Amino acid sequence: MLVSDGLPPPARTHAMAAIILGLVLAVLDGTIVNLALPGIARDLNATAAQAVWVVNGYQLATLALLLPLATLGDRIGYRRVYFAGVAVFTAASLACLLSGSLWALALARVVQGMGAAGIMSVNTALVRQIYPKAMLGRGVAINSLTVAGASVAGPTVAAAILSVAPWPALFVLNIPLGLLVIFLGYRVLPHNPAPTPEHPAPAAPAPLDVLLNIAMFSLVFLGADLLGARHGAAGGSLAQGLGLLGAGLLLGAFYLRRQWHQPAPLMPIDLLRIPLFRLSIGTSVCAFAAQMLAFIALPFLLLDGLGRSHLAAGLLITAWPLAIVVVAPIAGRLIGRFHNGLLGGIGLALMALGLGLLAALPAVPSDADIVWRMLLCGAGFGLFQSPNNHTIVTSAPPRRSGAASGMLGTARLTGQTLGAVLLAGIFSLLGAQDGRGAVVALALAAGFAAAAGLLSLLRVRHAG
């Protein structure tokens, strides 16, 4: 289906159903396995450190391939990349289900992450084609709400499945749901506009640039992981982590120099030269770093610092995503009525305030004291995310929608990795058992949210 300004309502509904379902599968599987790692290690005769690669393999493959597959979408069509991603993801889920050893499972998870990269790299570009310009804010809000909800739902969904079935059941539903995504979207997901002399198809990236992109993100991720909470930040792990991180940054400098003068680079430097785009990406990285700091720190604060039970802690934290669910659609309707930078700045100020108040909780807080602070954080994040994503999507030329979509996902994963590494450093210095480290992490998260808010407000200068 070729489209000039969005799809008609029936096709739009079916297309968005395919986008939402595929995005839920890709984002959810990034965290759904975490809770099952002890059981996986036990059943497959592996150590805990080895079992972590069931998670790491997925995340690393996704992060490393987002930009190459986004560029491929600009070149051959977003729907092709999306359907290929769903097909690979579904087949890899079957391989995960049938895995008989840890390394077979880890390899299947790497392939599954490659499929997830295909889904996440172009989903926002497809939303831009599915919705008319006047309604794009609504589509971006639905997309943002899906990512936010799926990001925090993994442990809950995993707990529900593992309470009635062994860990392979975590991959069972991916197979029929993946086939359903292809069925729903095959007839209605739009094709890219045909190339014209004025807007030719982008040139294929050099194989060396693709390899450099994968190597850069891989080294940075592995270095960050060695500095992270899973391995500790002491002894050899610290030196190895810093070495890998430094190697990744040096390789990245060489890679970016190669990309600098290309008209449609794999790493979209051309888009980062646009002030609105650059500020929005920076805002996203800081905001997701704040969110990740808080999401990992809060269980330690509630369980160890405040003595809440696991059930009580889970229910209290649920207030955050519930607020996102309520506020994100409202934020989508406000896009176009108010400047996106202003909406994002207000939302991030609320988030920073909520995080600061969580860090300053009284010694013996009531559940109500915790819940209203959680609601403030979630409402602020919900108000920020949709307008910020809308700016990222619309500030890029239509022919570079795939690159913008890939950068949106890359910024989210980069911010989350940064938050996890910073939290590991805090816990290694202050400990995690008495809640002190969690309080410092929440205060730092408030600082990141405030910095993101300032970046968002700077975008108001570039209105129009």
Side-chain angles (χ1 to χ4, degrees):
M1 180 174 293
L2 294 172
V3 49
S4 58
D5 188 26
L7 300 178
R12 187 188 310 148
T13 300
H14 292 148
M16 278 307 295
I19 294 294
I20 290 169
L21 187 53
L23 196 55
V24 166
L25 290 174
V27 176
L28 195 65
D29 268 55
T31 58
I32 197 172
V33 178
N34 293 11
L35 201 63
L37 287 181
I40 290 173
R42 182 178 61 252
D43 292 350
L44 299 180
N45 298 315
T47 65
Q50 291 170 335
V52 165
W53 279 99
V54 175
V55 175
N56 282 359
Y58 184 93
Q59 294 176 334
L60 180 56
T62 303
L63 180 60
L65 290 177
L66 274 174
L67 292 178
L69 291 177
T71 300
L72 185 64
D74 282 333
R75 181 171 173 79
I76 69 170
Y78 308 129
R79 62 175 275 141
R80 289 183 179 178
V81 173
Y82 189 79
F83 283 140
V86 175
V88 169
F89 182 92
T90 304
S93 296
L94 178 60
C96 290
L97 177 63
L98 300 176
S99 296
S101 70
L102 179 79
W103 298 115
L105 177 60
L107 179 60
R109 286 282 288 172
V110 169
V111 178
Q112 195 183 36
M114 295 168 63
I119 295 169
M120 290 193 281
S121 63
V122 297
N123 74 88
T124 310
L126 283 167
V127 170
R128 188 176 187 179
Q129 293 183 332
I130 289 167
Y131 276 86
K133 292 179 181 178
M135 298 177 63
L136 182 57
R138 186 178 303 177
V140 170
I142 294 172
N143 221 42
S144 302
L145 177 59
T146 302
V147 172
S151 296
V152 298
T156 303
V157 173
I161 294 174
L162 294 174
S163 66
V164 298
W167 62 262
L170 295 172
F171 306 106
V172 170
L173 283 178
N174 290 347
I175 299 167
L177 292 179
L179 295 174
L180 179 60
V181 170
I182 296 173
F183 174 78
L184 285 173
Y186 184 75
R187 292 187 177 182
V188 293
L189 283 182
H191 294 271
N192 287 27
T196 64
E198 295 80 15
H199 300 291
L208 178 59
D209 287 332
V210 175
L211 291 175
L212 287 171
N213 181 86
I214 294 172
M216 177 189 70
F217 280 114
S218 298
L219 288 170
V220 170
F221 179 93
L222 293 172
D225 184 68
L226 281 177
L227 296 175
R230 297 189 185 103
H231 297 282
S237 292
L238 177 61
Q240 293 167 13
L242 290 175
L244 288 171
L245 200 59
L249 294 176
L250 287 174
L251 191 65
F254 173 72
Y255 168 51
L256 293 178
R257 186 175 180 181
R258 279 180 53 87
Q259 297 278 291
W260 195 258
H261 298 294
Q262 295 183 18
L266 180 61
M267 171 64 73
I269 297 172
D270 57 325
L271 299 183
L272 292 171
R273 293 191 182 107
I274 302 171
L276 273 175
F277 188 90
R278 181 171 63 246
L279 287 169
S280 300
I281 290 294
T283 300
S284 187
V285 170
C286 289
F288 277 102
Q291 186 195 52
M292 181 58 69
L293 274 164
F295 275 178
I296 302 178
L298 280 169
F300 288 95
L301 176 65
L302 296 174
L303 296 171
D304 298 332
L306 301 177
R308 296 298 200 276
S309 68
H310 284 81
L311 177 60
L315 291 174
L316 291 170
I317 293 174
T318 301
W320 184 316
L322 285 178
I324 295 177
V325 170
V326 172
V327 174
I330 299 173
R333 294 188 181 95
L334 293 176
I335 292 173
R337 301 182 186 180
F338 301 95
H339 192 278
N340 287 344
L342 179 61
L343 292 173
I346 294 172
L348 289 163
L350 292 175
M351 182 182 177
L353 178 60
L355 288 167
L357 291 170
L358 282 170
L361 276 169
V364 187
S366 66
D367 288 348
D369 289 330
I370 299 171
V371 165
W372 73 261
R373 288 167 167 83
M374 293 280 191
L375 291 173
L376 193 61
C377 292
F381 194 86
L383 184 58
F384 134 78
Q385 193 180 13
S386 297
N388 191 72
N389 289 355
H390 183 268
T391 300
I392 291 174
V393 172
T394 57
S395 60
R399 62 185 177 83
R400 294 286 280 156
S401 292
S405 180
M407 276 300 291
L408 195 156
T410 301
R412 174 174 62 84
L413 292 174
T414 301
Q416 290 172 342
T417 302
L418 175 62
V421 170
L422 289 172
L423 186 73
I426 292 171
F427 281 174
S428 68
L429 292 173
L430 301 177
Q433 304 309 315
D434 59 0
R436 286 185 305 161
V439 168
V440 173
L442 288 169
L444 181 60
F448 267 99
L454 290 175
L455 289 175
S456 186
L457 290 174
L458 285 175
R459 294 183 294 168
V460 179
R461 292 191 312 175
H462 300 282

